[in-house]
Amino acid sequence: MNSIKIHEKDFEIFLESESINKRTRLMGIQLNVDYEKRCPIFIGVLNGSFLFMADLIKEIELDCEIDFIRVASYHGDSSTGQIKEAFGLPNNLKGRDVILVEDIVDTGLTVQYILAQLRAQEPASINVCSLLFKPAALLKPMPELTYVGFEIPNEFVVGYGLDYNGLGRNLKDIYRAI
Ligand code: 5GP
């Protein structure tokens, strides 16, 4: 299927599952090398990262732990802007090697917020592993963003965990809005 409709919006194919899977395998190989002899904890950010995390973790041959967190955003007043809150963050990360797994880094605000919470626990290391990254949308540099599947233009995408108003997470391929 080269184009689809979700709610009222049209989308066209952007990244096929074969390329996603191939790239994910390579990212897994890189992580196996970089974390050799360590026991990292992978923390996925729900909901979007669930498929990427599942496929990535199958490539990992290290001893490792897996956890998930959820971040909610609220609209604050004009002085506070958007308020974020994280749920389910493990509280025993001191001295651990943490790999934060995201579906997409857009403005980077979500990951920046989580990084601040993680740093407070003094882990040994923190790296971010995101399937997609929109460099043009990033608001401030993110040195922790070490593992990126695909750099993409500043366009809205859906599928493979990413939704449009609740739908589309189950699509095998990734589509972009047209
Ligand atoms: P950020 O805080 O980096 O701006 O955005 C992070 C979150 O916004 C992502 O985890 C994702 O939920 C959502 N998001 C950003 N860009 C897209 C996109 O192109 N498509 C979809 N479906 N969600 C996006």
Side-chain angles (χ1 to χ4, degrees):
M1 248 191 316
N2 283 332
S3 67
I4 53 164
K5 199 185 257 302
I6 301 178
H7 296 298
E8 78 301 340
K9 219 174 174 56
D10 291 308
F11 292 86
E12 67 181 5
I13 192 93
F14 181 52
L15 290 169
E16 292 188 25
S17 67
E18 229 171 86
S19 334
I20 299 169
N21 297 343
K22 209 185 257 179
R23 186 72 190 107
T24 304
R25 275 198 292 278
L26 289 174
M27 293 173 89
I29 290 168
Q30 186 69 54
L31 286 161
N32 287 330
V33 171
D34 292 354
Y35 285 84
E36 198 187 353
K37 300 202 171 81
R38 288 191 277 170
C39 177
I41 176 163
F42 289 82
I43 302 179
V45 185
L46 293 171
N47 293 328
S49 73
F50 76 105
L51 282 183
F52 176 49
M53 174 71 118
D55 286 339
L56 180 70
I57 215 70
K58 284 183 268 182
E59 304 300 330
I60 301 302
E61 293 166 355
L62 311 156
D63 282 343
C64 62
E65 291 178 42
I66 296 145
D67 221 315
F68 287 94
I69 60 169
R70 183 183 282 273
V71 179
S73 301
Y74 309 94
H75 288 288
D77 58 30
S78 54
S79 62
T80 53
Q82 221 185 36
I83 300 165
K84 291 188 187 292
E85 194 179 347
F87 300 92
L89 199 71
N91 58 7
N92 50 355
L93 299 175
K94 193 174 168 67
R96 297 297 308 270
D97 292 305
V98 175
I99 302 168
L100 191 66
V101 179
E102 259 286 21
D103 50 353
I104 188 164
V105 175
D106 185 39
T107 63
L109 291 177
T110 306
V111 168
Q112 294 291 3
Y113 171 78
I114 300 167
L115 286 174
Q117 309 269 312
L118 292 174
R119 281 189 208 109
Q121 291 194 44
E122 300 175 358
S125 68
I126 312 177
N127 280 296
V128 178
C129 175
S130 184
L131 177 66
L132 305 175
F133 172 40
K134 296 182 188 171
L138 193 70
L139 290 176
K140 76 177 216 209
M142 191 185 286
E144 295 87 350
L145 183 56
T146 312
Y147 305 96
V148 170
F150 301 91
E151 289 194 0
I152 65 168
N154 204 356
E155 293 176 305
F156 188 78
V157 293
V158 71
Y160 194 67
L162 290 144
D163 75 312
Y164 170 51
N165 283 348
L167 298 183
R169 294 193 196 276
N170 54 317
L171 296 165
K172 284 189 189 63
D173 309 297
I174 293 177
Y175 294 77
R176 71 170 153 206
I178 42 178

